[in-house]
């Protein structure tokens, strides 16, 4: 067990150094930040000890540290140097079943597979390493920040694996899971079609039953990330389609496993292409390193995954995996742009400090002395570090759900799944929007140099822009949160969540450390006030929505953003408390500046970012007529 888990990055590895004359600031995995969250904000050792039947015994402190260090080496030495070239070169389609990925991508993936990383958190019965699922999320942040488009390939496979484990029958599992878990094959998610967008009730791809319990799939799917490539011998497409007897709408969709090359029932791979061809790969604003494909299925043979006409429900296993991955994309953009901007701000000389020269021996002061630059850097820092903590909270919940399922406690697993269902749209919607904000601030710190490709920050802004669009736009996430997760459930999820926030706030208001380090008491009060305001606004929207559903529509997006800011405040309060506790124990220790930085960043957040919710409240309660009375003809005069 775990014998394969060894990526050879760092000493002894062939490191892909960026060519001379390109970006000079290298990605550095934030291991101290990760360790702070795992060991001080959360007691991960105790957490993993409780995960008795879901991989916890494997996650010893030494093993966790090894995973972190080796993941960092791989991200820093192998993936980061490939990122700029991938953006420049992109992917090239050579034929209907041939796409060439950027230089170095295929070789890096081979190392990833050889090290056993794809199966890190998947069950040993399918060839995985059997670690808790949270560790795979921790690991994926590093690869995502170093090279987002490369990370998409194994990331999509994780969604396919989770879907087959949850819903596939024995035949489907035996044919595909071992190869997907090992990384020998990859997976895709084939949802939308040219006429659909996010409205999957319009899916028209057909599934015709044939002999042997199989189906012929015919139709066109678009926007299929990593739909064709040169990494592996086969690709498994998870395809939404309609059976002949399907009812109309979303309740008539089924889910199918459709391989690129035909696979025998015993798992043997043939050399027979399966009628799934690439019409084109899209020319895109960003994410050039991953091919976005149009796939034409022309009688492609596949197997049913799960129950007929329940495909949309089954596909949400994949979608929710991808939504968590997209939240990580937002975090990665914030972390990557922050690292670049911080390094630049320390070195770039421009003007003198308003309070007097800080580097009189130089021609000008470093721009990090200027308040406006500090505000941008601290905003990036708050998004990146607070966003990481938000994701870890959900990652640990995922572990607890897996443990409950392993113990047969279906009621507990369902309760945790419902909680994750409430938190996921906040994570996906808020962190992708804030990742874009952080990336934009990175350009602003650089000034004109940020607009130049060779410095790297503009690539982050282009790559992350899609994050608030795919896997359900921010507006769809907002409607899901406020409409489905809160209103349709009679406010139960929000009432439960806010009770937890009030307890956290009160615990910190009465925290003994609040008298020594940090401002835990005042920040606890601020979080308490924000949670009460959130509750009040929820009740107001519920009352308005009872007679006018457009009230929910107009409120949903600012409501989601308010939820995000308060959730980010929750994480910063927890981090501030952990830092204050550490400083109480050792005020002059080697990490004193690290902890003081956390406390000061928390102060910035509560004084400068949490107050943004005050501007959101009027939008949440706005009269729907301010949006809905204008007619389509009144938007602009037509010729």
């Amino acid at each position: 067990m775990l014998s394969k888990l060894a990526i050879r990055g760092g000493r002894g590895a062939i490191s892909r150094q960026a060519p001379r004359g390109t970006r000079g600031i290298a990605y550095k995995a934030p291991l101290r930040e990760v360790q702070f969250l795992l060991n001080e904000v959360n007691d991960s050792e105790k957490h993993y000890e409780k995960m008795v039947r879901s991989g916890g015994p494997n996650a010893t402190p030494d093993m966790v540290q090894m995973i972190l260090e080796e993941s960092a080496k791989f991200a820093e030495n192998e993936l980061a140097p490939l990122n700029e070239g991938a953006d420049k070169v992109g992917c090239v389609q050579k034929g209907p079943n041939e796409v060439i990925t950027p230089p170095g991508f295929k070789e890096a993936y081979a190392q990833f597979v050889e090290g056993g990383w794809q199966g890190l958190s998947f069950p040993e019965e399918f060839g995985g390493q059997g670690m808790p699922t949270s560790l795979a999320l921790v690991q994926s942040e590093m690869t995502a920040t170093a090279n987002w488009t490369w990370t998409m390939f194994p990331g999509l496979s994780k969604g396919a694996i989770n879907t087959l484990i949850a819903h596939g029958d024995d035949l489907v599992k035996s044919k595909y899971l071992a190869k997907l878990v090992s990384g020998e094959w990859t997976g895709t998610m084939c949802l939308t079609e040219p006429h659909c967008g996010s409205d999957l009730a319009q899916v028209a791809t057909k599934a015709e039953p044939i002999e042997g319990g199989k189906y012929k799939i015919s139709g066109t799917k678009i926007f299929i990330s990593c739909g064709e490539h040169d990494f592996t011998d086969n690709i498994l497409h998870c395809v939404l389609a309609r059976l002949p007897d399907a009812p109309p709408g979303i309740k008539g969709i089924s889910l199918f496993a459709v391989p690129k090359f035909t696979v025998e029932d015993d798992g043997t791979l043939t050399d027979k292409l399966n009628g799934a061809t690439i019409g084109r790969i899209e020319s895109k604003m960003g994410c050039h390193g991953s091919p976005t494909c149009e796939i034409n299925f022309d009688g492609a043979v596949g197997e049913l995954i799960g129950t007929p006409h329940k495909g949309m429900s089954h596909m949400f296993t994949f979608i929710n995996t991808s939504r968590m991955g997209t939240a990580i994309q937002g975090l990665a953009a914030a972390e990557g742009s922050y690292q670049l901007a911080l390094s630049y701000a320390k070195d770039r000389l421009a003007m003198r400090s308003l309070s007097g020269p800080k580097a009189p021996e130089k021609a000008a002061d470093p721009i990090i002395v200027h308040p406006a630059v500090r505000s941008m850097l601290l905003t990036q820092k708050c998004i990146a570090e607070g966003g990481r903590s938000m994701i870890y909270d959900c990652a640990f919940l995922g572990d607890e759900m897996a443990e409950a399922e392993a113990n047969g406690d279906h009621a507990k697993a369902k309760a945790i799944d419902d909680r994750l269902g409430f938190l996921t749209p906040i994570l996906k919607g808020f962190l992708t929007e804030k990742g874009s904000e952080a990336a934009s601030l990175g350009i602003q710190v650089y000034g004109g140099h940020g607009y130049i490709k060779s410095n790297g920050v503009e690539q982050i802004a282009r790559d992350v822009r899609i994050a608030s669009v795919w896997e359900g736009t921010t507006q769809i996430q907002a409607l899901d949160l406020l409409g489905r997760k809160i209103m349709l459930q009679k406010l139960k999820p929000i009432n439960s969540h806010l009770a937890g926030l009030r307890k956290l706030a009160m615990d910190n208001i009465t925290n003994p450390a609040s008298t020594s380090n940090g401002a835990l008491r005042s920040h606890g009060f601020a979080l308490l006030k924000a949670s009460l305001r959130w509750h009040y606004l929820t009740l107001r929207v519920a009352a308005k929505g009872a007679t006018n559903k457009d009230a929910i529509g107009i409120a949903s997006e600012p409501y989601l953003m308010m939820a995000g800011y308060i959730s980010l405040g929750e994480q910063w309060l927890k981090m501030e408390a952990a830092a204050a506790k550490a400083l109480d124990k050792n005020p002059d220790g080697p990490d004193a500046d690290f902890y003081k930085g956390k406390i000061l960043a928390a102060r910035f957040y509560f004084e400068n970012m949490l107050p943004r919710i005050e501007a959101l409240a009027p939008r949440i309660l706005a009269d729907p007529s301010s949006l809905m009375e204008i007619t389509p003809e009144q938007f602009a005069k037509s010729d």
Side-chain angles (χ1 to χ4, degrees):
M1 181 167 47
L2 298 169
S3 59
K4 291 180 65 179
L5 202 57
I7 287 288
R8 292 181 301 280
R11 294 182 182 178
I14 300 174
S15 179
R16 295 176 176 83
Q17 299 298 327
R20 184 175 299 176
T22 62
R23 301 165 188 172
I25 301 172
Y27 167 69
K28 188 70 176 175
L31 289 180
R32 185 65 185 90
E33 298 290 345
V34 172
Q35 291 161 344
F36 174 66
L37 288 179
L38 290 179
N39 302 328
E40 298 175 75
V41 177
N42 303 283
D43 188 345
S44 63
E45 183 176 357
K46 185 176 180 180
H47 167 79
Y48 290 135
E49 286 175 353
K50 295 178 180 178
M51 304 298 110
V52 177
R53 301 185 63 184
S54 56
N58 296 330
T60 64
D62 287 345
M63 178 56 68
V64 171
Q65 185 62 24
M66 186 275 282
I67 289 170
L68 297 181
E69 291 175 356
E70 294 301 320
S71 297
K73 290 176 185 177
F74 182 62
E76 293 169 0
N77 298 336
E78 304 302 324
L79 295 184
L82 302 176
N83 192 38
E84 180 184 8
D87 184 56
K88 290 180 178 178
V89 175
C91 298
V92 179
Q93 183 180 1
K94 293 289 189 179
N97 290 103
E98 185 180 7
V99 170
I100 306 301
T101 55
F105 268 38
K106 181 178 179 179
E107 293 77 12
Y109 184 78
Q111 281 199 22
F112 182 81
V113 171
E114 183 182 356
W117 288 101
Q118 182 68 297
L120 179 65
S121 291
F122 291 116
E124 293 175 66
E125 65 179 294
F126 302 121
Q129 304 291 347
M131 302 294 287
T133 58
S134 57
L135 283 176
L137 286 174
V138 173
Q139 182 263 345
S140 66
E141 181 214 328
M142 299 184 204
T143 62
T145 311
N147 193 324
W148 166 253
T149 56
W150 181 93
T151 303
M152 290 175 65
F153 291 86
L156 284 160
S157 296
K158 291 176 182 178
I161 294 166
N162 286 336
T163 302
L164 294 189
I165 289 175
H167 308 294
D169 61 20
D170 289 342
L171 175 61
V172 168
K173 289 178 180 178
S174 65
K175 284 182 68 170
Y176 301 116
L177 268 178
K179 295 292 188 182
L180 289 169
V181 169
S182 70
E184 294 173 73
W185 297 349
T186 62
T188 75
M189 173 170 54
C190 299
L191 303 182
T192 196
E193 300 173 6
H195 58 284
C196 287
S198 296
D199 185 5
L200 296 177
Q202 298 185 55
V203 161
T205 296
K206 297 178 180 180
E208 177 188 348
I210 58 176
E211 67 280 354
K214 295 181 172 55
Y215 302 82
K216 280 191 174 181
I217 311 300
S218 299
T220 297
K221 297 291 184 178
I222 62 169
F223 302 156
I224 311 306
S225 297
C226 309
E228 183 60 86
H229 55 76
D230 53 2
F231 284 12
T232 59
D233 293 333
N234 208 8
I235 301 170
L236 182 70
H237 303 296
C238 296
V239 185
L240 291 180
R242 292 185 184 278
L243 292 165
D245 62 344
I250 208 76
K251 295 182 179 180
I253 296 174
S254 300
L255 179 60
F256 300 88
V258 184
K260 171 184 173 180
F261 284 96
T262 299
V263 180
E264 303 289 356
D265 285 348
D266 64 0
T268 301
L269 178 64
T270 75
D271 60 0
K272 180 183 177 184
L273 285 167
N274 190 28
T277 58
I278 306 304
R280 68 174 185 270
I281 60 174
E282 305 291 352
S283 178
K284 301 173 294 185
M285 172 183 178
C287 292
H288 297 158
S290 65
T292 300
C293 302
E294 175 191 89
I295 304 183
N296 298 310
F297 295 95
D298 185 11
V301 176
E303 292 92 6
L304 181 70
I305 300 174
T307 305
H309 315 315
K310 299 292 184 182
M312 200 64 235
S313 173
H314 299 335
M315 187 58 104
F316 262 101
T317 299
F318 203 138
I319 291 169
N320 285 331
T321 300
S322 295
R323 285 177 175 173
M324 183 65 76
T326 307
I328 291 175
Q329 184 185 7
L331 161 59
E335 176 65 31
S337 61
Y338 175 57
Q339 287 194 17
L340 291 172
L342 178 61
S343 179
Y344 185 80
K346 289 179 177 179
D347 292 338
R348 176 69 170 173
L349 303 179
M351 299 179 287
R352 291 295 184 188
S353 168
L354 295 174
S355 58
K358 298 299 184 288
E361 75 285 0
K362 297 180 179 179
D365 288 332
I367 62 172
I368 198 170
V369 307
H370 302 308
V373 173
R374 286 177 166 239
S375 176
M376 290 187 285
L377 291 172
L378 280 166
T379 299
Q380 290 179 296
K381 178 181 176 71
C382 286
I383 293 168
E385 295 171 16
R388 182 179 295 112
S389 190
M390 287 173 68
I391 288 171
Y392 282 22
D393 261 12
C394 286
F396 288 138
L397 281 172
D399 289 343
E400 293 173 14
M401 185 172 71
E403 182 68 15
E405 289 172 342
N407 290 325
D409 191 341
H410 302 300
K412 182 177 181 180
K414 176 65 166 55
I416 297 172
D417 190 42
D418 287 346
R419 176 148 177 75
L420 285 170
F422 168 79
L423 294 172
T424 297
I426 301 174
L427 241 64
K428 195 280 181 186
F430 181 75
L431 289 184
T432 56
E433 293 286 351
K434 295 300 102 181
S436 286
E437 178 184 345
S440 179
L441 289 174
I443 294 174
Q444 199 73 10
V445 170
Y446 269 78
H449 292 282
Y451 203 64
I452 304 302
K453 286 193 172 185
S454 61
N455 287 315
V457 286
E458 64 83 36
Q459 182 190 341
I460 296 174
R462 284 187 290 107
D463 284 354
V464 77
R465 182 60 187 87
I466 189 62
S468 59
V469 175
W470 58 16
E471 311 310 334
T473 65
T474 302
Q475 290 71 27
I476 289 173
Q477 302 300 318
L479 279 172
D480 179 45
L481 174 67
L482 185 55
R484 282 186 64 227
K485 302 296 169 57
I486 294 177
M487 297 303 168
L488 289 183
Q489 297 186 42
K490 309 297 183 183
L491 311 189
K492 181 180 176 181
I494 188 65
N495 289 338
S496 175
H497 182 70
L498 291 175
L501 280 185
R502 289 192 293 269
K503 182 180 185 305
L504 174 68
M506 291 305 300
D507 287 347
N508 281 277
I509 289 169
T510 59
N511 190 328
S514 64
T515 62
S516 53
N517 292 296
L520 293 173
R521 182 172 289 119
S522 64
H523 295 163
F525 273 120
L527 184 64
L528 179 62
K529 178 182 175 182
S531 68
L532 293 172
R533 187 164 182 75
W534 187 1
H535 200 183
Y536 166 76
L537 289 168
T538 304
L539 296 174
R540 286 285 307 274
V541 172
K544 293 176 67 175
T547 57
N548 187 345
K549 293 297 187 289
D550 282 333
I552 295 172
I554 193 173
S556 60
E557 189 269 337
Y559 186 93
L560 170 68
M561 299 309 292
M562 173 175 280
Y565 282 118
I566 295 173
S567 298
L568 208 59
E570 172 192 3
Q571 303 306 321
W572 272 105
L573 186 61
K574 292 196 295 186
M575 290 189 287
E576 182 182 10
K581 181 179 178 181
L583 283 174
D584 277 346
K585 289 182 178 179
N586 191 358
D588 300 312
D591 279 341
D593 279 342
F594 175 83
Y595 295 124
K596 290 175 183 177
K598 280 281 183 281
I599 288 171
L600 291 168
R603 178 183 175 186
F604 174 86
Y605 186 82
F606 279 96
E607 294 183 8
N608 293 272
M609 293 186 70
L610 186 62
R612 292 182 182 186
I613 67 173
E614 298 303 323
L616 295 170
R619 293 179 57 202
I620 292 171
L621 298 179
D623 189 329
S625 64
S626 65
L627 274 181
M628 304 311 295
E629 283 189 1
I630 185 170
T631 67
E633 294 75 21
Q634 291 169 342
F635 272 92
K637 179 176 172 56
S638 59
D639 294 334

